């Protein structure tokens, strides 16, 4: 079997790593031959899943920067303006359309596309994503949105668990300060200002002052925990869509 090409667009390379790590986790968990390939290649290869799937952006890049998508599309003469099924576009609809058009114009379009974009308290961004997906007959089997509420740091917080007494004390102090547990209710965090005590970036920094880093914990947290604590922050939905829609594509090669 050849590696299945997956397109990825996001706001930063950090967001790309978070999304890729989670997708890979689900693929390993759900597909026996992918898990076996990973175990056999993880020591000898930098990317133990490269025989199973590849990640790409456009024009030979490893990922597509969403902030550049509209400019790139215009440079190629792609039509990104206009309505969506006769309705005006919601927030980000044009940006998402541009990203999908760019992937579609590749000489060999990917089999699936994952677009990661923080909602930042703006539900209309999710509506704009749905509009863009519905607006075209795309050459991809699947388009999946990673749409964190309020931002992707909330997903990392949902994965965080205290591992020693100092971390348990720090966790308890944060719960007292915020009047809720950010690890079980990350959707109640904010993303407007790091001066806000509920800001997701601030809370993540406080939780990870010592001990293992957030990305290290993210790489091995049980998927069941993410689904249990990520229902309202977009995390559980993303895991479910990867499992139900992306896994079959990779599994069939």
């Amino acid at each position: 079997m050849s590696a299945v090409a997956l397109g990825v667009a996001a706001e930063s390379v950090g967001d790309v790593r978070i999304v890729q790590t989670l997708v890979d986790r689900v693929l390993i968990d759900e597909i026996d031959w992918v898990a076996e390939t990973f175990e056999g290649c993880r020591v000898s290869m930098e990317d133990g899943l490269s025989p199973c799937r590849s990640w790409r952006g456009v024009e030979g890049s490893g990922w597509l920067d969403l902030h550049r998508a509209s400019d790139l599309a215009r440079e190629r003469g792609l039509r990104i303006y206009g309505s969506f099924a006769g309705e005006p576009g919601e927030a980000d609809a044009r940006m998402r359309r541009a990203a999908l058009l760019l992937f579609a114009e590749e000489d060999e379009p990917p089999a699936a596309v994952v677009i990661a974009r923080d909602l930042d308290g703006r539900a209309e961004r999710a509506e704009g994503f749905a509009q863009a997906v519905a607006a075209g007959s795309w050459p991809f089997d699947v388009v999946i949105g990673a749409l964190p509420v309020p931002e992707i740091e909330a997903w990392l917080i949902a994965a965080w668990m205290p591992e020693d007494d100092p971390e348990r004390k720090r966790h308890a102090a944060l719960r007292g300060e915020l009047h809720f547990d950010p690890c079980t209710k990350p959707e109640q965090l904010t993303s407007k200002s790091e001066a806000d005590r509920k800001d997701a970036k601030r809370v993540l920094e406080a939780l990870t002052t010592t001990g293992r880093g957030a990305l290290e914990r993210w790489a091995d947290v049980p998927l069941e925990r993410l689904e249990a604590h990520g229902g309202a922050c977009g995390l559980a939905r993303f895991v479910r869509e990867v499992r139900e829609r992306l896994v079959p594509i990779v599994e069939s090669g």
Side-chain angles (χ1 to χ4, degrees):
M1 289 186 179
S2 58
V4 175
L6 307 177
V8 60
E11 298 179 79
S12 71
V13 67
D15 291 4
V16 170
R17 293 194 188 102
I18 292 169
V19 169
Q20 289 176 333
T21 298
L22 181 53
V23 170
D24 286 350
R25 289 280 312 285
V26 177
L27 296 179
I28 292 169
D29 190 62
E30 293 289 326
I31 307 173
D32 289 343
W33 69 265
V34 170
E36 292 168 1
T37 300
F38 180 67
E39 286 302 318
C41 298
R42 62 189 304 182
V43 174
S44 60
M45 301 176 65
E46 182 178 355
D47 179 2
L49 285 183
S50 59
C52 310
R53 60 90 192 99
S54 62
W55 291 101
R56 67 167 69 164
V58 299
E59 299 178 335
S61 64
W63 64 286
L64 172 61
D65 185 344
L66 279 176
H67 300 298
R68 298 185 61 238
S70 294
D71 288 341
L72 286 174
R74 283 193 292 266
E75 289 171 8
R76 292 191 183 187
L78 301 177
R79 183 178 178 273
I80 64 174
Y81 298 100
S83 62
F84 294 80
E87 298 293 331
E90 294 288 351
D92 285 358
R94 188 183 301 164
M95 174 196 288
R96 311 290 178 75
R97 174 189 269 165
L100 293 173
L101 286 169
L102 288 167
F103 281 116
E105 286 291 306
E106 291 285 286
D107 291 338
E108 295 184 9
V113 173
V114 178
I115 298 180
R117 171 75 158 157
D118 295 341
L119 293 190
D120 288 324
R122 301 179 63 188
E124 62 270 23
R125 285 185 176 179
E127 298 170 10
F129 171 78
Q131 284 181 313
V133 173
S137 298
W138 308 112
F140 335 113
D141 294 318
V142 169
V143 180
I144 297 177
L147 308 174
V149 177
E151 61 183 351
I152 205 163
E153 285 79 7
W155 287 12
L156 298 178
I157 291 168
W160 189 91
M161 294 181 288
E163 297 178 340
D164 56 29
D165 286 340
E167 290 186 352
R168 279 184 279 275
K169 291 178 181 178
R170 190 159 64 248
H171 183 208
L174 266 174
R175 293 201 311 271
E177 178 187 356
L178 300 174
H179 305 295
F180 67 90
D181 185 348
C183 300
T184 60
K185 297 181 178 179
E187 72 281 357
Q188 294 188 19
L189 297 168
T190 64
S191 61
K192 300 300 183 183
S193 169
E194 292 189 39
D196 184 348
R197 67 181 181 180
K198 294 194 295 181
D199 179 76
K201 289 183 174 65
R202 172 191 171 276
V203 170
L204 181 63
E205 182 178 1
L207 288 172
T208 56
T209 302
T210 62
R212 294 197 301 153
L215 294 179
E216 187 178 358
R217 296 170 193 251
W218 178 252
D220 60 21
V221 63
L223 294 177
E224 294 79 8
R225 176 181 174 84
L226 301 184
E227 293 179 277
H229 295 167
C233 68
L235 181 50
R237 182 201 59 79
F238 181 66
V239 172
R240 182 175 64 253
E241 289 206 7
V242 171
R243 182 179 289 123
E244 295 176 356
R245 303 178 64 203
L246 189 54
V247 163
I249 295 172
V250 176
E251 189 169 26
S252 63

